Amino acid sequence: MSTAVMSAVAESAEQRAALRSARIRAVIFLLFTLASFSAASAAGAKEAIFSFWIDKIGGKDIILTFPIAVPWLISGAISGAIATLQFLRGASFRWRAAIGIAAPFYAVATVGALLDGTAANLTVLFTGTLNYAAPVAIGSLAGIISERSGVLNIAIEGKFLLGALAGAVASSLFGVAIAGPIAGLLIGAAVGLLLAVLGLRYKVDQIVAGTIINIGALGITNFLYLRVLQRYPDLNQPVNIDPVTIPVLSDIPVIGNIFFNLSPYFYVAVLLVGFFTYAIFKTRWGLRLRASGEQPSAAGTVGVDVIKLRYRSMILAGALAGFAGSYLALSGTGGFGMGISSGRGFIALAALIFGAWHPVYAFGAALIFGFADATQTLLSILGVGLPPQVLLAVPYVMTIIVVAGLIGRVRGPASAGRPYEQG
Amino acid sequence: MTRLRKLLATIRLPAISVLVALLVGAIVIMLSDLEVLGKIPQDPLGAIVLGVQRVYLAYTSLLMGAFGDPAKFGKAIAAGGDAVLWAKAFRPITETLLASVPLMFVGLAVMVSFRTGVFNIGGEGQFMMGALGGTIAAIVLGGAGLPTPITILGVVALGALFGAAWAFIPGILKARVGASEVITTIMLNYIANLFIFFLLVNWELIQREDRTQPISKALDKFVVIPTILPIEALRLHLGFIVALLLAVVVSWFLWRTAKGFELRAAGLNLPAARYAGMGAASSVVIAMLISGAIAGIGGAFEVVGTVKQLTTAISGGVGFTAIAIALVGGTRPSGVVATSLVFGALRNGGALMGLNTGIPIDLLFFIQALVIMFIAAPSLTQRLIRSPFKRRVKEATA
Amino acid sequence: MRLELREITKQFPGVLANDRVSIAVDKGEVLGLLGENGAGKTTLMNILSGLYRPDSGAILIDGTERVFRDPAEAIAAGIGMVHQHFMLVPVFDVIESVALGAEPTTGPLGTFDRATARKQIIELSERYGLAVDPDAKIENLPVGVRQRVEILKALYRKSDILVLDEPSAVLTPQETEELFEIIRGLAKAGTSVIFITHKLNEVLAVADRITVLRRGAVAGNTTPSKADASSLAEMMVGREVQLTVSRGASKPGKPILQVQAMNVLDGRGGVAVHEASFEVHAGEILAVAGVQGNGQTELVEALTGLRPIDSGSLILDGNHLEGGSPRHIADAGVAHIPEDRSRDGMIKGMTVAENYVLNAYHRPPFSTGGRLDLKAIAARATQAVKDFDVRTPSIDTDIASLSGGNQQKVIVAREFGRDVRLVVAAQPTRGLDVGSIEYIHHRIVEQRDAGAAVLIVSTELDEVLALGDRVAVMYEGRIVGILDAKDATRERVGLLMGGAVA
């Protein structure tokens, strides 16, 4: 057998695997189609009664009534189309984007089905989703930047906690709103630097280093809360960062309430995701960042200082995560509380894996996770539907399915976690 | 003599790490004391004295909480055979031992996986699942009126089974598709927590009667794990003995059996293990099963023997403390046992420290993180200890 | 001279990698730098590319002395490296890979100007005949094209001193021929080329001048017109160390190992061992010679069950062993001294005794019913340490703290400590001191005299000639010749190793 033939065989082995995952995805989409149609027929004539606040929360509302079967049918049709395209196009099909198109219809259908005829106002469901997604998206962005540079980052949770505490205290001390986010940013950057020193200089295993930060942050924030903040409550009276009303746009009925009356963090998150998507994929900085995470020797031999780049990325990632953490204490939650991040740093980690280390997809994952969370809140307020734990487990279960590689290999930066010796 | 020297050499870095971490903890105690801070501008010396006093009070409370109050021992001796006084004197020590029991179990569990090159940080979830298994076994078997020994066996077996099952998932995913066990175990910790929450409020078998909060039935109604000390008031139970026995078994398994040999070989050098004809993938799965089973037994003993009711707070971060314990203990069973005793003393003494001085026990988590850091970056630690001396030497030579 | 390295010396702990090495290349000239693995070629190139600093000596560009503190400075001086292991990011496309580190940008954010880069790359690839699709992803390109991308990388940085490190190692003969065309074209256009290789026929084909390195020092300078393959082979391999192994004549018995038409893949989509057929008889040593990377590693892995056999047969004592696991094959009586001692041969962090039983721990007397018998292990290990003269404080010492020679003795003791039908020894004395080398050779001959079949793979010609009762030569995955010891002269084997004649 000639070498050329051999290499063709070897290539096709990899392609076969990709094709197999593509087929599995097509089958999954097909199952979704069937499930949607059967849900539609099971729903029969049962109606969803949704309402939305028109101009302000608690003001006048508009009531939408439609058969639950309708969104199921639409979802089923879209899934069917996706399944067909997935089958025909194989591995090259952009299925993450396709999920993005189907997701809103599934969201409506699922909520309708779970409510099972109970009337519900959904404005808060959507704002809840978006607000939840803001810190998670920024947290995953932090993870993406550090892992794209080649340093594993499981310490987002710890940075969230420290950012929240620092934000609450600084905001209370200085009495200006902007002090909180800035303090979060600074402490996050400091933690990022510590992680970088441990991992890059002292060659501490990057998982161990992240674990150190997570445990240490939990311990020190709880400690300071109990020892200082409880005794001196003045230090935990931050200036809340309230939702901002965007002129003109917020006056659009229904939509304005949902999208244009949110925490500034959300808009910052959108801007950051947009900015860094551009920076990572379109700029010189991004090119070098990705090179040092994938194949640091390729960057090092053309004169890129990989170690310096990783240091900077870690500090930037820390700053972003600390900034996101400050949100948790400053968004009308009454300041810092023990364990305030409640695992959202790990959900950010989940979002970045689910989003395949891409800021936009990670944002999408954060929205899906946020929707699961907001739905759970809505259902438990109304006292209907699924046990809340099922929805709360969604991010964790989805992440395990993704890393198990069943629906297609997600490939993280190839060299993340490996120390690089320059020269 | 050489053995002693060898022992000293082994415990040098861990001991230094713990001491330096406690020192940093002392600084944190001072800096977080606003009275001390407030005094600095007018009376810096007085502030330092006050700070040192506070630290002294805190750490002496910690020690007394962990090992007992000499005064109480004196009283007991003076009174002779008064069991109540003896119990009072000894209680802190036995509580320290009791606090170290879950740490030993999970520390051993994590150690086994580390030895095989698997970074299992799912001790938390496996411990919780073991606690769930133990709870179910206690209620079902104890409720059926089976004799206590059989019920206890069932508790241990189901705890082991649940823990092992929970650890099997990351194990098989790593062996088959190379999924990072770090990610999967983190996620499974959260899923275990939610799963148990769900069962506690939805499953009549275990849910406490007439309660909507996530709390199980009182387990001492079904079975009581026997205590091992002659004085009733001392709660130290069978789990302590089992933990020590398991440490011996793990040690025996890793260093005296062919399978254990394989696991250690795979953990140190996978290509060489393959070269020597060992199955590398199966090592990962076996290590995770053993690891999960041990953590699960720990959870079962903790819930049935010590806490006597299942809540979602049963683990209390034991999975993370276990990482510190495995690393500080030099990934050896004897080291894990010794470190568990130290950390158990910190945990137990921390309670009295909190009571006496208002310094929250959460400080210990921070100290644990520092200990891991000093152990994991030995060159950093060397620098920290040596740098003052070095500087002086440099000045002298210059 | 466009580039000159003068008296470069570089010392690593325990190794003198470069010993007063001087080389020079003129504008438009191709210098062939020839040497075995470990001759110091790579160190020299790392110094040239700014990754290492020499301990002494000078780098001169156009007669002016230069110091390179990092790769960026070497690149700025016009030096372009094409590394043996390509320095490319698999998920990047050609444009990104070529421009990385020298990106044209626009706008305030430093936006990567793909269009400009694309234009320059197309222009370069047309000018030098380097056909490449600029938008293709690296991981989808065949190795030959990846190499063109590496060359483009250098040209893109306006390098006019091009260093190619073992460029043909991963290429097919056709691709190699194309590469030579490219090199000739570049030289004609004024680029200076340093072509590093261990393949004799390649320097003869493409170089204008040849410098041969041996054990860190220059062994000689020549030109293709003055040299031929055998003189080059001799220069390259040298004969400083006269190895003498006292051994009687072999008394070959019946064949123990029979390999027939064996093909083994290299795992990167190529064939590493091509239709290999040979036999090794009881009581004889078959030494496999060949320059490193000609399929010997894969052959050994296939023989010991570490690498699957694609086709052909592997027969030991009349039993087929294709598809057998490493343990299965070891249990059939194959002793294996692996090429990479620290990676495969031992487990650092385990004791001498544990390493001694590394592949027999599961069998009596070392374990019964899954339980290790520590007493038996200690007794046997103690005996082995004595028998094989392992210098160690105790059998409970971590093997990592032993010297290389003693580590290898532990491995040899382990492999020879049972009934052996076939010995497979790959580079059994690499990196060892003379005393250990003699000792291990003595032990191998002992196995032969006890009736085992022995297969030794070595890139050291001296070792091959000293030990082999028959000598097989591998070249590009094929066994190109099997000679009896009396016919196996240095010259003949050297020629075969260089692929000069088939």
Side-chain angles (χ1 to χ4, degrees):
Chain A
M1 217 185 279
S2 80
T3 318
V5 176
M6 289 314 309
S7 65
V9 171
E11 268 174 29
S12 78
E14 206 168 278
Q15 283 167 357
R16 262 204 307 271
L19 197 63
R20 193 172 53 234
S21 325
R23 294 258 162 81
I24 291 176
R25 283 199 298 275
V27 170
I28 291 173
F29 285 127
L30 191 66
L31 289 177
F32 266 86
T33 313
L34 298 177
S36 311
F37 287 142
S38 66
S41 74
K46 199 172 276 175
E47 302 222 301
I49 307 157
F50 291 167
S51 58
F52 295 92
W53 305 115
I54 296 174
D55 42 9
K56 64 176 199 292
I57 308 268
K60 271 205 298 205
D61 62 357
I62 179 175
I63 296 174
L64 281 174
T65 310
F66 55 88
I68 301 172
V70 172
W72 277 131
L73 287 173
I74 299 175
S75 306
I78 295 178
S79 297
I82 295 176
T84 316
L85 285 172
Q86 174 73 77
F87 188 77
L88 292 178
R89 299 225 186 125
S92 62
F93 181 63
R94 296 174 64 180
W95 55 279
R96 280 193 180 80
I99 290 180
I101 296 170
F105 296 97
Y106 271 103
V108 173
T110 314
V111 172
L114 290 173
L115 286 170
D116 198 27
T118 313
N121 188 301
L122 297 192
T123 299
V124 176
L125 175 77
F126 286 116
T127 56
T129 300
L130 299 174
N131 278 330
Y132 179 99
V136 172
I138 303 175
S140 351
L141 187 58
I144 289 168
I145 289 170
S146 106
E147 300 209 351
R148 287 257 183 204
S149 84
V151 186
L152 284 178
N153 193 349
I154 64 163
I156 306 170
E157 176 81 359
K159 292 173 189 165
F160 271 11
L161 281 170
L162 288 165
L165 179 77
V169 172
S171 176
S172 310
L173 277 177
F174 295 104
V176 267
I178 194 69
I182 290 178
L185 199 111
L186 291 177
I187 191 113
V191 175
L193 178 63
L194 173 65
L195 262 176
V197 170
L198 287 179
L200 301 176
R201 174 149 183 195
Y202 290 103
K203 305 276 187 297
V204 175
D205 181 284
Q206 291 166 9
I207 302 287
V208 173
T211 306
I212 291 169
I213 300 293
N214 285 337
I215 301 177
L218 184 67
I220 196 76
T221 54
N222 280 357
F223 170 80
L224 291 175
Y225 175 78
L226 292 170
R227 183 161 164 80
V228 182
L229 298 192
Q230 273 204 332
R231 266 194 249 173
Y232 307 93
D234 285 355
L235 289 175
N236 197 13
Q237 304 277 324
V239 186
N240 276 333
I241 297 189
D242 295 319
V244 290
T245 308
I246 294 180
V248 185
L249 290 176
S250 64
D251 295 335
I252 305 173
V254 182
I255 305 285
N257 267 330
I258 294 177
F259 289 103
F260 302 109
N261 201 355
L262 292 169
S263 165
Y265 280 92
F266 179 79
Y267 304 114
V268 173
V270 172
L271 290 177
L272 285 173
V273 166
F275 175 78
F276 278 107
T277 304
Y278 183 82
I280 290 171
F281 296 105
K282 298 285 175 196
T283 69
R284 172 167 67 184
W285 172 78
L287 197 65
R288 294 179 174 190
L289 180 84
R290 285 182 288 138
S292 51
E294 290 286 347
Q295 191 82 294
S297 54
T301 45
V302 293
V304 175
D305 189 336
V306 172
I307 299 293
K308 200 158 143 195
L309 190 142
R310 286 185 175 176
Y311 262 100
R312 288 183 177 168
S313 308
M314 290 303 289
I315 293 170
L316 174 62
L320 286 173
F323 169 76
S326 71
Y327 166 90
L328 304 173
L330 300 174
S331 299
T333 41
F336 181 81
M338 291 210 290
I340 195 169
S341 56
S342 59
R344 259 177 286 184
F346 290 118
I347 292 188
L349 186 65
L352 96 85
I353 295 168
F354 193 72
W357 287 264
H358 188 297
V360 173
Y361 291 147
F363 194 24
L367 285 172
I368 293 177
F369 298 165
F371 184 75
D373 187 78
T375 307
Q376 170 263 321
T377 311
L378 177 74
L379 294 182
S380 51
I381 288 171
L382 296 174
V384 290
L386 282 174
Q389 294 80 27
V390 175
L391 285 167
L392 289 174
V394 162
Y396 310 117
V397 175
M398 278 167 79
T399 304
I400 291 179
I401 292 173
V402 167
V403 294
L406 188 65
I407 55 171
R409 207 99 200 85
V410 282
R411 194 161 54 169
S415 293
R418 295 201 207 127
Y420 174 66
E421 304 281 350
Q422 207 146 14
Chain B
M1 197 56 216
T2 51
R3 275 190 91 149
L4 183 71
R5 202 174 298 155
K6 222 172 137 186
L7 182 71
L8 283 178
T10 347
I11 63 168
R12 190 172 163 268
L13 180 65
I16 288 173
S17 300
V18 171
L19 288 178
V20 175
L22 282 171
L23 199 68
V24 176
I27 295 169
V28 170
I29 290 175
M30 285 194 229
L31 291 182
S32 63
D33 195 321
L34 294 198
E35 277 175 59
V36 173
L37 289 184
K39 230 176 162 182
I40 289 177
Q42 304 99 30
D43 181 9
L45 201 66
I48 292 171
V49 171
L50 182 65
V52 171
Q53 274 174 350
R54 292 269 157 95
V55 170
Y56 177 76
L57 185 63
Y59 281 180
T60 46
S61 305
L62 186 79
L63 284 176
M64 279 203 265
F67 302 110
D69 185 343
K72 283 190 183 155
F73 278 105
K75 256 194 216 163
I77 293 166
D82 188 338
V84 177
L85 285 181
W86 279 112
K88 266 191 184 158
F90 270 111
R91 196 173 155 84
I93 295 184
T94 61
E95 286 295 300
T96 286
L97 298 181
L98 189 66
S100 68
V101 171
L103 304 180
M104 282 186 204
F105 278 111
V106 190
L108 286 171
V110 170
M111 190 216 89
V112 171
S113 72
F114 281 10
R115 274 273 169 193
T116 318
V118 183
F119 204 87
N120 174 19
I121 51 181
E124 189 88 3
Q126 292 143 23
F127 182 85
M128 293 185 77
M129 291 306 286
L132 174 66
T135 303
I136 294 170
I139 291 173
V140 172
L141 302 178
L146 290 179
T148 304
I150 293 180
T151 306
I152 292 176
L153 268 182
V155 164
V156 171
L158 209 61
L161 186 72
F162 273 44
W166 208 242
F168 176 74
I169 303 171
I172 193 75
L173 286 179
K174 184 181 174 67
R176 278 288 167 80
V177 298
S180 156
E181 73 274 22
V182 173
I183 303 295
T184 48
T185 50
I186 287 176
M187 301 301 154
L188 282 167
N189 285 345
Y190 280 97
I191 296 174
N193 193 306
L194 290 167
F195 181 58
I196 287 170
F197 194 116
F198 171 76
L199 290 182
L200 284 174
V201 294
N202 286 292
W203 194 16
E204 261 172 51
L205 178 74
I206 60 171
Q207 189 180 12
R208 177 158 302 184
E209 307 81 353
D210 314 319
R211 293 281 277 275
T212 50
Q213 295 96 323
I215 186 166
S216 79
K217 290 176 178 149
L219 298 179
D220 47 3
K221 284 193 305 191
F222 299 97
V223 62
V224 175
I225 307 264
T227 58
I228 55 173
L229 292 170
I231 303 171
E232 188 93 5
L234 304 179
R235 303 191 294 157
L236 190 63
H237 57 71
L238 193 61
F240 182 67
I241 307 285
V242 175
L244 292 179
L245 283 177
L246 259 182
V248 175
V249 171
V250 164
S251 184
W252 176 83
F253 170 75
L254 282 176
W255 279 276
R256 299 289 169 93
T257 69
K259 217 8 124 189
F261 187 88
E262 277 179 23
L263 295 196
R264 284 188 298 126
L268 285 166
N269 183 343
L270 217 49
R274 206 170 91 82
Y275 155 84
M278 306 171 190
S282 74
S283 296
V284 170
V285 177
I286 290 169
M288 281 306 280
L289 285 176
I290 294 172
S291 184
I294 297 174
I297 296 174
F301 269 113
E302 183 72 0
V303 76
V304 181
T306 308
V307 184
K308 299 181 199 304
Q309 62 186 26
L310 179 64
T311 68
T312 51
I314 186 76
S315 61
V318 67
F320 296 111
T321 305
I323 297 169
I325 288 174
L327 291 174
V328 177
T331 55
R332 292 193 151 267
S334 54
V336 166
V337 168
T339 315
S340 298
L341 292 174
V342 174
F343 278 47
L346 288 175
R347 263 196 171 194
N348 180 39
L352 187 71
M353 175 178 79
L355 217 61
N356 283 356
T357 63
I359 291 169
I361 192 167
D362 298 87
L363 180 66
L364 296 178
F365 270 114
F366 181 65
I367 289 179
Q368 278 167 22
L370 290 173
V371 172
I372 305 180
M373 184 169 89
F374 292 139
I375 294 272
S379 53
L380 170 71
T381 315
Q382 298 286 8
R383 253 180 97 125
L384 280 181
I385 322 172
R386 286 216 188 124
S387 56
F389 301 102
K390 243 193 205 160
R391 222 167 284 146
R392 221 169 289 153
V393 172
K394 256 188 201 159
E395 276 160 25
T397 50
Chain C
M1 281 289 150
R2 178 75 180 98
L3 170 76
E4 197 179 344
L5 298 186
R6 208 177 269 169
E7 302 266 302
I8 296 282
T9 299
K10 178 77 184 174
Q11 173 104 41
F12 290 112
V15 195
L16 187 57
N18 285 156
D19 184 9
R20 283 167 289 135
V21 175
S22 299
I23 60 167
V25 58
D26 214 341
K27 192 171 184 315
E29 186 184 43
V30 180
L31 172 71
L33 193 60
L34 190 67
E36 288 242 88
N37 275 51
K41 296 170 295 180
T42 304
T43 305
L44 196 64
M45 288 311 113
N46 283 336
I47 287 169
L48 185 55
S49 64
L51 285 168
Y52 297 159
R53 303 276 294 274
D55 298 335
S56 66
I59 302 171
L60 288 84
I61 306 258
D62 294 327
T64 333
E65 188 169 339
R66 301 289 292 269
V67 176
F68 301 144
R69 276 168 305 196
D70 58 40
E73 293 187 352
I75 292 165
I79 293 166
M81 286 288 298
V82 176
H83 294 266
Q84 183 178 1
H85 305 286
F86 296 152
M87 298 294 178
L88 295 170
V89 182
V91 298
F92 278 13
D93 62 23
V94 171
I95 299 176
E96 291 173 323
S97 305
V98 171
L100 178 68
E103 310 85 348
T105 58
T106 55
L109 294 176
T111 303
F112 173 44
D113 186 355
R114 263 185 85 86
T116 305
R118 193 167 196 282
K119 221 178 84 192
Q120 288 171 346
I121 289 164
I122 291 174
E123 203 180 287
L124 283 171
S125 74
E126 279 169 1
R127 195 189 317 157
Y128 294 101
L130 294 156
V132 162
D133 169 11
D135 299 304
K137 252 193 182 181
I138 298 295
E139 60 190 352
N140 298 332
L141 294 176
V143 274
V145 181
R146 288 188 204 189
Q147 190 163 57
R148 273 179 237 157
V149 176
E150 282 281 12
I151 295 172
L152 273 175
K153 252 168 82 178
L155 298 175
Y156 181 84
R157 285 163 176 74
K158 309 212 177 353
S159 305
D160 56 2
I161 304 166
L162 192 63
V163 183
L164 300 147
D165 189 5
E166 300 281 359
S168 65
V170 290
L171 301 185
T172 62
Q174 294 85 345
E175 286 174 326
T176 307
E177 199 39 59
E178 284 169 29
L179 174 68
F180 289 170
E181 276 311 306
I182 292 167
I183 290 174
R184 289 183 194 115
L186 286 167
K188 202 174 283 172
T191 304
S192 310
V193 179
I194 302 179
F195 186 98
I196 304 171
T197 186
H198 56 246
K199 299 187 182 171
L200 310 166
N201 57 343
E202 291 185 353
V203 284
L204 290 171
V206 78
D208 298 315
R209 287 192 304 108
I210 300 169
T211 298
V212 182
L213 282 184
R214 188 175 68 226
R215 291 176 199 247
V218 173
N221 289 293
T222 181
T223 62
S225 54
K226 281 187 236 153
D228 60 18
S230 65
S231 67
L232 284 177
E234 213 180 300
M235 246 198 251
M236 190 165 130
V237 180
R239 38 173 119 200
E240 290 106 71
V241 184
Q242 277 300 334
L243 286 171
T244 45
V245 181
S246 58
R247 60 188 175 109
S250 72
K251 302 178 201 67
K254 62 182 176 69
I256 302 256
L257 173 71
Q258 293 165 287
V259 173
Q260 285 155 7
M262 184 194 275
N263 283 299
V264 183
L265 305 183
D266 64 4
R268 299 184 303 266
V271 182
V273 178
H274 206 110
E275 296 286 321
S277 296
F278 59 88
E279 290 184 346
V280 189
H281 299 257
E284 74 159 352
I285 297 176
L286 176 69
V288 178
V291 176
Q292 180 155 37
N294 277 291
Q296 302 100 310
T297 305
E298 289 82 359
L299 174 68
V300 167
E301 287 177 349
L303 293 180
T304 52
L306 288 164
R307 185 180 285 272
I309 295 166
D310 191 50
S311 64
S313 48
L314 166 64
I315 300 163
L316 187 79
D317 276 332
N319 303 316
H320 280 266
L321 286 181
E322 305 89 13
S325 68
R327 174 161 294 171
H328 181 68
I329 289 176
D331 287 352
V334 176
H336 176 197
I337 299 171
E339 177 181 337
D340 190 334
R341 190 161 53 236
S342 14
R343 198 184 88 113
D344 298 326
M346 61 184 175
I347 295 185
K348 291 178 180 170
M350 284 187 145
T351 66
V352 170
E354 286 174 322
N355 274 286
Y356 174 66
V357 297
L358 198 56
N359 58 11
Y361 64 93
H362 59 290
R363 275 200 303 258
F366 303 127
S367 70
T368 39
R371 258 178 58 204
L372 294 178
D373 185 341
L374 295 188
K375 275 201 191 119
I377 293 173
R380 295 291 189 105
T382 308
Q383 192 59 42
V385 162
K386 228 166 83 194
D387 289 350
F388 284 80
D389 191 30
V390 180
R391 308 281 164 82
T392 173
S394 87
I395 57 161
D396 295 323
T397 305
D398 186 344
I399 196 166
S401 62
L402 267 53
S403 73
N406 284 306
Q407 289 173 343
Q408 188 74 328
K409 284 181 189 170
V410 174
I411 294 171
V412 171
R414 173 180 77 214
E415 298 299 326
F416 291 175
R418 56 200 160 97
D419 284 341
V420 174
R421 302 293 299 149
L422 170 72
V423 174
V424 178
Q427 314 289 359
T429 58
R430 176 182 285 173
L432 301 186
D433 58 289
V434 178
S436 301
I437 292 176
E438 280 179 0
Y439 186 84
I440 282 164
H441 283 168
H442 166 68
R443 285 290 180 168
I444 290 173
V445 172
E446 208 174 78
Q447 286 292 324
R448 180 201 74 166
D449 293 345
V454 179
L455 181 113
I456 285 182
V457 171
S458 177
T459 53
E460 305 261 341
L461 197 45
D462 291 311
E463 183 165 49
V464 166
L465 296 177
L467 282 176
D469 298 317
R470 287 190 298 142
V471 175
V473 183
M474 278 192 90
Y475 180 71
E476 294 192 335
R478 294 168 195 273
I479 307 251
V480 292
I482 300 183
L483 308 171
D484 279 334
K486 59 178 168 32
D487 306 322
T489 60
R490 178 174 296 275
E491 288 68 30
R492 275 192 76 177
V493 176
L495 275 176
L496 287 170
M497 280 169 69
V501 285

